[in-house]
Amino acid sequence: MRRSPFSPSSRLRLNFFSFSKFTPPQLIALTFAVTIVVGALLLYSPLTHQSGHSLSLVQSFFMATSALCVTGLAVVDVGSTFNLFGQLVMLALIQIGGLGIITFGTLFAFLLGRRINFSERVRLAQQVSAFDTGGVVRLIRQIFIFTLSAEALGTLLLALRFVPKEGWGKGLYYSLFHAVSAYNNAGFSLYPDNLMGFAGDPLINFVIGGLIILGGMGFIVQINILGHWRSPRRERILVHSKIVLSVMAALLAVGMLSFLLFDWNNPRTLGPLPLGEKLLVSFFQGVTPRTAGFNTVDYSGISQPSLFITIILMFIGANPGSTGGGIKTSTFFVMMMAAISLVRGRSDLAVFGRRVDRATIVRAMTVGLLSLGLVNTGFLLLLIANNDNNLSFERLFFETVSAFGTAGLSMNTTTLLNSNQEMIVSALMYLGRIGPLTFAVAFGNRVKSEPVKYPPERDILIG
């Protein structure tokens, strides 16, 4: 009897992400790059375009990168440029990019009855920022269940608004597209003005905002909170969860209150709105810079103080192991607390009754420094390539941070970029999604051991 090649007992091994010669950072970087190329070729094909529309190869590459890196910056309007097949390609790239390509490889392995070996578990742990490899397979199952449940609930709630507006078929499709885009912090909309037409709609604002917060929370935190809610005695709230939830709440409050304060009388944003809509719009603009990309106001019209706060929020980004980008909330927290501890003369950094080891502090500082260097380099390159369209310093800097933080917000700048600038922004989105430290570790020279250990030098002045 001939065995099926998909049988678990078959000698044929179907390895979707198990390549022994690649380290976890290398595999993450390479799989994202390969998938972007495949997505770009699909989006370049006339099969994905509406009648009378076409994209250049660079534009297709940009859109594939933005979708897979769940950014939301767009050089063309998704709803009017792509047909249903093209929009579904975009949606697939968003879902794959949000959850992680290696995570999807695991799903296919499950479906084919494959066992996950140790090296593959290590790569999975790196992909979802798990603390260890022991329960990573069970964690992946939980992530898929939680994600699909959240997106399904979001689709049902959004259907209450989109079905009456668009009809049953189109309304349900719009609900699904926006729910997936929101949970994965992608920020793509099928409406040409994004969500500006729903600025005063509580249902759209709170459902989309809630999905953004859930997706940006981080898989580890989601499962930890859910487990604690089910059984408080068996599963405690992790220190990691306490840190990122505290920072999330603080940043959301800062974003909302600062927008409310600085744009209260701005005639182009909050000025003409009644009190209730001012609060609603400010809430949404406090949520969306956390790498979400949706907007209910025109960012080219917001005040400069609000732009400054938005840039900071985009740079910090979402939580580790989430669908969002940026340097991450935990990195920001460790950097700030380490600086405060040093100023206070404390040798150790302690949070929530636990000590943060020096390796974690050094890693946080490294991520912060590499990210600043990447943003500054990308911004300089955009300025150098800005010789034919003369975009302002302010607009290009906002675009740079938005691309690196995979935030997807723009001051109506993206469609004005030339081809060279589109490639630079694409590189920023890619590096921002996989993380500058991951990329540096993946392709940097690895030193196995240090044969010589030098004595410390204390005569180096800092500050």
Side-chain angles (χ1 to χ4, degrees):
M1 180 176 178
R2 186 177 181 181
R3 293 179 178 177
S4 168
F6 298 107
S7 170
S9 60
S10 173
R11 295 181 180 180
L12 176 63
R13 287 183 54 82
L14 298 175
N15 292 322
F16 292 97
F17 54 89
S18 177
F19 302 98
S20 58
K21 65 180 180 179
F22 294 129
T23 64
Q26 288 174 337
L27 193 59
I28 292 171
L30 290 172
T31 51
F32 265 83
V34 170
T35 309
I36 287 172
V37 172
V38 173
L41 293 176
L42 285 172
L43 295 179
Y44 182 64
S45 168
L47 297 175
T48 61
H49 304 158
Q50 295 274 18
S51 177
H53 290 268
S54 63
L55 278 76
S56 69
L57 193 57
V58 173
Q59 289 176 323
S60 303
F61 184 83
F62 185 100
M63 294 299 292
T65 305
S66 187
L68 189 70
C69 297
V70 289
T71 304
L73 293 175
V75 290
V76 295
D77 175 51
V78 174
S80 61
T81 302
F82 296 111
N83 57 24
L84 179 60
F85 177 56
Q87 293 171 15
L88 290 176
V89 170
M90 290 285 292
L91 196 63
L93 289 172
I94 290 168
Q95 188 73 84
I96 293 170
L99 290 180
I101 299 166
I102 299 175
T103 309
F104 266 89
T106 308
L107 174 63
F108 289 127
F110 287 154
L111 295 176
L112 296 174
R114 268 205 51 214
R115 294 182 62 85
I116 310 302
N117 62 37
F118 179 75
S119 63
E120 293 167 344
R121 291 171 191 264
V122 171
R123 293 178 174 89
L124 281 171
Q126 178 94 13
Q127 174 83 77
V128 299
S129 299
F131 295 113
D132 55 61
T133 60
V136 71
V137 175
R138 181 172 62 89
L139 175 63
I140 295 299
R141 293 194 188 100
Q142 293 174 327
I143 288 172
F144 271 103
I145 293 172
F146 188 93
T147 297
L148 295 178
S149 299
E151 291 174 349
L153 178 59
T155 299
L156 292 176
L157 292 174
L158 291 175
L160 298 175
R161 182 67 68 246
F162 288 134
V163 167
K165 179 180 174 62
E166 305 290 349
W168 275 103
K170 189 176 180 180
L172 287 174
Y173 170 65
Y174 270 47
S175 302
L176 174 65
F177 188 98
H178 287 87
V180 173
S181 183
Y183 180 82
N184 289 284
N185 282 213
F188 284 104
S189 174
L190 296 176
Y191 293 102
D193 61 351
N194 205 273
L195 297 179
M196 290 175 61
F198 301 93
D201 190 321
L203 178 65
I204 296 295
N205 279 263
F206 286 125
V207 173
I208 295 290
L211 288 170
I212 291 168
I213 292 171
L214 275 178
M217 188 180 293
F219 304 129
I220 300 298
V221 179
Q222 293 170 354
I223 303 303
N224 180 222
I225 298 300
L226 189 60
H228 179 77
W229 177 71
R230 289 176 174 174
S231 180
R233 293 184 178 180
R234 293 183 60 184
E235 184 162 357
R236 65 181 178 85
I237 300 293
L238 300 172
V239 171
H240 170 74
S241 300
K242 294 178 182 178
I243 290 174
V244 298
L245 290 175
S246 300
V247 178
M248 275 184 68
L251 294 178
L252 287 174
V254 168
M256 176 180 176
L257 294 176
S258 62
F259 192 83
L260 196 64
L261 174 64
F262 298 130
D263 274 70
W264 182 269
N265 293 317
N266 188 340
R268 299 181 64 183
T269 54
L270 297 183
L273 303 179
L275 177 61
E277 289 192 22
K278 284 184 178 181
L279 293 173
L280 195 60
V281 170
S282 297
F283 161 76
F284 196 82
Q285 263 50 240
V287 172
T288 195
R290 310 296 312 291
T291 81
F294 288 105
N295 63 285
T296 56
V297 296
D298 184 357
Y299 268 81
S300 65
I302 71 174
S303 65
Q304 289 190 333
S306 291
L307 278 177
F308 178 72
I309 298 296
T310 300
I311 287 171
I312 294 175
L313 294 176
M314 291 192 300
F315 183 74
I316 296 172
N319 295 344
S322 71
T323 58
I327 65 170
K328 304 298 189 295
T329 52
S330 57
T331 301
F332 172 72
F333 179 84
V334 170
M335 290 172 62
M336 295 301 295
M337 294 304 296
I340 292 172
S341 295
L342 181 63
V343 170
R344 291 181 175 178
R346 296 176 179 174
S347 57
D348 289 328
L349 170 59
V351 293
F352 295 108
R354 292 290 188 272
R355 181 175 61 85
V356 180
D357 64 13
R358 293 189 179 276
T360 300
I361 297 174
V362 170
R363 183 180 179 88
M365 295 296 182
T366 303
V367 170
L369 184 61
L370 288 175
S371 300
L372 282 173
L374 179 60
V375 167
N376 288 329
T377 301
F379 179 49
L380 176 61
L381 292 174
L382 284 179
L383 290 174
I384 293 173
N386 192 38
N387 51 6
D388 60 344
N389 48 14
N390 295 319
L391 292 169
S392 69
F393 186 95
E394 179 184 81
R395 293 174 71 175
L396 283 178
F397 186 67
F398 190 91
E399 194 84 3
T400 301
V401 180
S402 180
F404 166 77
T406 68
L409 297 175
S410 179
M411 299 173 65
N412 298 328
T413 305
T414 313
T415 55
L416 302 177
L417 299 174
N418 58 44
S419 297
N420 292 330
Q421 290 174 322
E422 288 174 357
M423 294 302 296
I424 294 167
V425 172
S426 297
L428 284 169
M429 292 188 289
Y430 169 73
L431 293 173
R433 180 66 180 101
I434 67 172
L437 183 58
T438 298
F439 187 81
V441 171
F443 301 104
N445 292 325
R446 288 175 289 173
V447 179
K448 295 183 179 179
S449 62
E450 296 180 2
V452 178
K453 202 161 191 175
Y454 298 98
E457 177 57 63
R458 303 184 182 276
D459 297 332
I460 300 176
L461 300 180
I462 301 294

